[in-house]
Amino acid sequence: MQGKIGLEEHFALEETLKDSAGYLPEKVWTELGSRLLDIQDRRIREMDANGVEMMLLSLNAPTVQAIPDPKMANALSRRANDYLAEQIAKRPGRLQGLAALPMQDPDLASRELERCVTQLGFKGALVNGFSEISGSPSGVYYDLPQYWPFWGVVESLGVPFYLHPRNPLPKDSAIYEGHPWLMGPTWAFGQETAVHALRLMASGLFDKYPQLAVVLGHMGEGLPYSMWRIDNRNGWTKAPPAYPAKRPLGEYFQENFYLTTSGNFRTQTLIDAILEIGADRILFSTDWPFENVDHAANWFDVASISEHDRIKIGRTNAVKLFRLGI
Ligand code: MN
């Protein structure tokens, strides 16, 4: 399929490159580093060769979210967002941006998002999971009350918020002890991000801000497979759910969430996601440069779904949701 749009596509600054070390074997580090630093050359060739018209770019992980000092996190966000805006200006028809945000300080995060959307023309934000901050040893999650004014700003700007994975902190990783292979995309990324998404749903955030759009990668971090059980466990007890949100969580999942195919190129999984959330809420992505564009495209272009759904998932859902004007 020509004209595809990818939404979870990363780059690095020289100063954030080291954050991506350790996720992949040492022997591919040189290759990964050059993929991450490149924006205008190999990336565009990969897009051309695989029918990808546009990528929405975002900073690598965890970067901004792993800087406990809010002012330093804000400064890095601004450097990354300004650099990205310069790169986009060279090829606005092929590249667009998602803002990095200093979530350590909800007010700074709101202001940086406003700046990125209204002045730099960014299409939304991509945040790498919880934020580390002095005084909160396990980091902060964005269902907490201090973040609600930030969510009000997100809703009023009308832009999507992409909740991207990161690993849990070592002190919160007891279950993985002795099994480092479970970290990252193998398992820990999905577990961490799914719990964060469930916290958002259960907090009542979407009752207060019903227009919010949260995007999850990797075909929903396992949630499409799990939502029914989350709402229907021990059904015979008829016990009301013990969280502040007014409705079953599956309703927020279906009304406030969008999923991308990043790094999860599996037709069986895509069909489950279509059955749970609908083809209007699933969007193509690759997760370049951690995954290959050709692996994503070669799978997606012939996956056994209707051509109508392929066009929606590959392109038109993204044009609508991110108001790309193409
Ligand atoms: Mn990613």
Side-chain angles (χ1 to χ4, degrees), residues 8 10 164 218 287 290:
E8 191 191 319
H10 308 297
H164 184 272
H218 317 107
D287 209 352
F290 301 96

Side-chain angles (χ1 to χ4, degrees), residues 47-126:
M47 292 165 68
D48 289 343
N50 292 289
V52 178
E53 179 177 327
M54 181 181 283
M55 280 187 174
L56 272 61
L57 304 189
S58 51
L59 189 62
N60 61 326
T63 59
V64 174
Q65 268 58 63
I67 300 175
D69 180 315
K71 287 198 174 65
M72 287 175 67
N74 190 45
L76 174 59
S77 300
R78 291 180 65 101
R79 284 198 296 281
N81 293 330
D82 286 345
Y83 171 75
L84 180 54
E86 283 166 27
Q87 294 296 321
I88 290 168
K90 297 179 185 175
R91 278 193 173 87
R94 307 300 304 277
L95 306 171
Q96 288 292 323
L98 299 177
L101 296 180
M103 297 296 289
Q104 288 82 350
D105 180 330
D107 195 43
L108 286 176
S110 300
R111 277 188 267 154
E112 181 60 2
L113 179 61
E114 264 172 348
R115 185 182 82 92
C116 287
V117 172
T118 62
Q119 294 175 35
L120 303 182
F122 284 13
K123 304 303 179 187
L126 182 141

